Amino acid sequence: MSTSVVQVKQLSDELGVAFGTSGVRGLVKDLTPTLCFAFVRSFLQTVCPSASSVAIGMDLRPSSSDIAKACLLAAESFGAKVEFCGALPTPALAFYAMQNNMPAVMITGSHIPFDRNGIKFYRPDGEISKADEASIMNGLVEVPEFVSDQAAQLALPVIDHSAVELFKQRYTSLFPSNMLQGKRVGVYEHSSVARDVIKELLAHFGAEVISLERTETFVPIDTEAVSEEDVQKGLNWSKEYKLDAIISTDGDGDRPLIANEKGEWLRGDILGVLCADYLQATHVAAPVNVNTVLELRGTLQSPERISLRTRIGSPYVIAGMEDLLQQSPDARVVGYEANGGFLVGADFVVNNQVLHALPTRDSVLPALIVLAMSYEQALPISQLTANYPGRYTASDRIKDIPTDVSRQLIADIKTSKAKQTELLSAIAQESEVLEVVSIDETDGLRMTLNSGDIVHLRPSGNAPELRCYVESKILRTAKRSVSEILGKVFEVSNV
């Protein structure tokens, strides 16, 4: 069979496909069988050269099965035995691979629109690093001449369900089996690959499970920027079905979306603090865009909880957790992101059971922790944060704005006091003069104002979007400010 040598970076650059904040992302039309083959082959050659087997899974996007075929061919060409886990949550695949000391490949575009997709890579010890990404991109691989034809003719293997079963066992042994007795929990299913796993777990713990809006077409749910439509759905479902909670996730099941008994969706960064409190974490790694409740709650712990701010993206949070463990090997380390994804950086003992480390985003653990806290404290979910400091974050985005345009806009605002004044005039109250008192450039432009509010602008690492986060003492102020700032940015961006 004739082959040609391909450099992954050169081919990916030609097609406009690249690593985002977590994994490879691109338009489906650009994720060709040749490119997907090259990525997976390079991953195995450069990052896991001694691998004898590899676990492969996927989400429910219409394009995922075709991409999986090219990935299977790449693994087989490397000489690795493939364990095909079918459609399953990303953290389930990652956990299975870690427990069996093998690498894994997940075909998913997470929350981005269905015309896009992606691939995530896992070493036997967890998610790949940014250095690993560079190695993959620089790899030279041999690609069969007719790989597209081979992929088109390939039938996917019989699914091995071991990964899903192991993932469920991780949680059924951790919490009281009756903790949801008498509770009505809605599951906003849409096209989440985690929907059936979540329903089975909720039923195991005794809940009456209400299925909400299951679809066979792919729906891109962004847990970090919940749409107004989904905000209203939560409120309506809670009233209609008299629910104690609503549980959902993004497309690949690594980011949770959790609503209280009122149907109000919890911010992912507040959810992260709840989970850190429950697990009695001593150290937390979290990206720069999460709410400052992290530090404010940490000062109340004894000893004071140590936190480390990172760039946005799970590889950076994982690197932060590793840094914390190097400094304090016995630390109880966790990480979380504004999208709600929760990472466990060390083994914990919970209810006399071991919760093994899972250094990749998970949506199931934070959902179950919130439900367990409600059960153990005999409080509705809305009351779990009653004693938290009054800091509120709102976020949204401008879609379809080229990344280079976003970067230039941010650079202009950073260097021009006049542009800062113009931008902040959009959110200033009558006679109020807002000024930037400090700037954090860890990721994008995070401006602390003289009012105490925080305005953060950054280009998305996954899609052509400009994201805005505003933290304030008042929720309605944060929401209004996000809308006004994005409106002002849109006005001057000419997109």
Side-chain angles (χ1 to χ4, degrees):
M1 181 185 300
S2 60
T3 62
S4 58
V5 176
V6 171
Q7 186 194 44
V8 177
K9 186 177 189 313
Q10 181 179 346
L11 182 58
S12 63
D13 285 349
E14 290 172 2
L15 293 167
V17 174
F19 278 97
T21 52
S22 178
V24 171
R25 300 288 170 84
L27 291 166
V28 169
K29 68 180 181 61
D30 297 326
L31 288 164
T32 64
T34 298
L35 180 60
C36 295
F37 182 103
F39 265 117
V40 173
R41 181 63 193 250
S42 183
F43 162 62
L44 293 172
Q45 286 179 191
T46 63
V47 180
C48 305
S50 61
S52 59
S53 59
V54 57
I56 295 180
M58 61 185 186
D59 67 13
L60 296 174
R61 290 168 181 266
S63 58
S64 291
S65 57
D66 287 338
I67 294 173
K69 293 175 183 179
C71 296
L72 285 161
L73 288 173
E76 290 170 355
S77 77
F78 180 74
K81 175 189 173 185
V82 172
E83 294 193 26
F84 182 59
C85 301
L88 79 171
T90 294
L93 181 74
F95 184 65
Y96 178 75
M98 287 184 65
Q99 294 304 302
N100 288 279
N101 195 36
M102 68 171 73
V105 176
M106 179 73 183
I107 295 89
T108 178
S110 187
H111 65 282
I112 59 179
F114 79 95
D115 64 336
R116 301 170 184 270
N117 210 328
I119 308 173
K120 294 181 180 179
F121 301 96
Y122 294 85
R123 302 182 313 232
D125 61 343
E127 194 171 326
I128 63 170
S129 67
K130 287 297 177 182
D132 293 329
E133 291 179 5
S135 296
I136 293 169
M137 291 296 277
N138 291 326
L140 293 171
V141 300
E142 288 191 5
V143 179
E145 183 179 353
F146 300 109
V147 69
S148 295
D149 293 337
Q150 289 178 273
Q153 296 168 13
L154 185 68
L156 289 174
V158 174
I159 296 172
D160 184 337
H161 296 285
S162 301
V164 167
E165 292 306 313
L166 183 66
F167 190 58
K168 289 189 290 188
Q169 290 169 20
R170 171 176 169 84
Y171 297 121
T172 54
S173 62
L174 203 64
F175 301 103
S177 60
N178 65 340
M179 73 173 185
L180 299 180
Q181 286 278 336
K183 300 293 185 181
R184 290 170 59 85
V185 182
V187 178
Y188 178 17
E189 298 190 35
H190 58 90
S191 52
S192 167
V193 75
R195 57 195 182 185
D196 292 332
V197 169
I198 288 172
K199 286 164 59 179
E200 289 167 14
L201 284 169
L202 294 173
H204 167 83
F205 291 114
E208 179 184 354
V209 180
I210 312 298
S211 177
L212 302 168
E213 211 165 288
R214 186 183 184 101
T215 65
E216 298 309 317
T217 54
F218 188 80
V219 179
I221 298 292
D222 188 347
T223 63
E224 192 173 344
V226 182
S227 69
E228 285 302 318
E229 180 183 4
D230 284 332
V231 168
Q232 194 58 51
K233 283 178 181 178
L235 299 173
N236 293 344
W237 286 331
S238 179
K239 291 178 181 177
E240 181 179 356
Y241 298 103
K242 297 180 172 57
L243 301 175
D244 295 287
I246 306 171
I247 309 297
S248 189
T249 78
D250 65 342
D252 71 321
D254 71 345
R255 304 177 179 195
L257 190 59
I258 302 167
N260 60 27
E261 75 285 356
K262 302 175 185 179
E264 300 165 339
W265 302 110
L266 276 66
R267 282 281 311 178
D269 45 9
I270 299 301
L271 176 63
V273 179
L274 278 169
C275 293
D277 286 357
Y278 181 82
L279 294 175
Q280 299 177 3
T282 59
H283 295 66
V284 178
V288 67
N289 63 323
V290 305
N291 193 290
T292 56
V293 165
L294 168 62
E295 286 83 9
L296 295 170
R297 285 290 296 178
T299 61
L300 302 178
Q301 311 300 315
S302 182
E304 183 172 329
R305 188 162 60 209
I306 296 170
S307 58
L308 173 67
R309 295 291 188 124
T310 73
R311 290 183 63 185
I312 296 168
S314 54
Y316 298 113
V317 175
I318 292 166
M321 292 195 300
E322 291 171 350
D323 288 346
L324 290 170
L325 279 171
Q326 285 182 353
Q327 297 166 23
S328 305
D330 296 327
R332 298 166 63 89
V333 180
V334 300
Y336 68 86
E337 297 184 90
N339 55 45
F342 194 76
L343 306 89
V344 181
D347 288 352
F348 283 73
V349 175
V350 180
N351 297 326
N352 298 318
Q353 299 292 322
V354 176
L355 174 69
H356 290 290
L358 181 53
T360 194
R361 284 190 300 248
D362 183 15
S363 64
V364 176
L365 178 61
L368 292 177
I369 282 178
V370 167
L371 294 169
M373 292 179 78
S374 176
Y375 166 75
E376 292 171 12
Q377 298 179 30
L379 290 172
I381 292 173
S382 65
Q383 293 301 305
L384 296 178
T385 57
N387 295 324
Y388 277 23
R391 298 294 295 177
Y392 302 94
T393 302
S395 60
D396 206 346
R397 59 200 165 157
I398 298 175
K399 298 181 182 180
D400 301 319
I401 178 171
T403 301
D404 58 344
V405 173
S406 293
R407 286 181 178 148
Q408 188 58 55
L409 283 166
I410 290 171
D412 291 345
I413 294 168
K414 173 195 164 187
T415 57
S416 170
K417 285 285 187 184
K419 289 191 179 295
Q420 292 173 18
T421 300
E422 181 184 3
L423 180 69
L424 298 178
S425 68
I427 62 173
Q429 301 296 311
E430 186 176 352
S431 75
E432 183 181 31
V433 178
L434 292 178
E435 295 179 343
V436 176
V437 295
S438 66
I439 285 177
D440 186 328
E441 295 182 74
T442 302
D443 199 330
L445 184 66
R446 187 170 175 86
M447 301 173 286
T448 299
L449 311 183
N450 55 343
S451 64
D453 290 358
I454 298 171
V455 176
H456 185 182
L457 295 168
R458 65 176 285 270
S460 170
N462 296 321
E465 299 173 348
L466 175 65
R467 290 186 177 268
C468 176
Y469 314 82
V470 174
E471 181 179 326
S472 180
K473 298 184 291 292
I474 303 171
L475 179 58
R476 66 176 180 273
T477 299
K479 290 180 175 179
R480 179 184 64 81
S481 295
V482 166
S483 177
E484 296 292 344
I485 287 171
L486 286 178
K488 176 66 75 173
V489 169
F490 187 82
E491 180 184 311
V492 301
S493 64
N494 298 315
V495 296

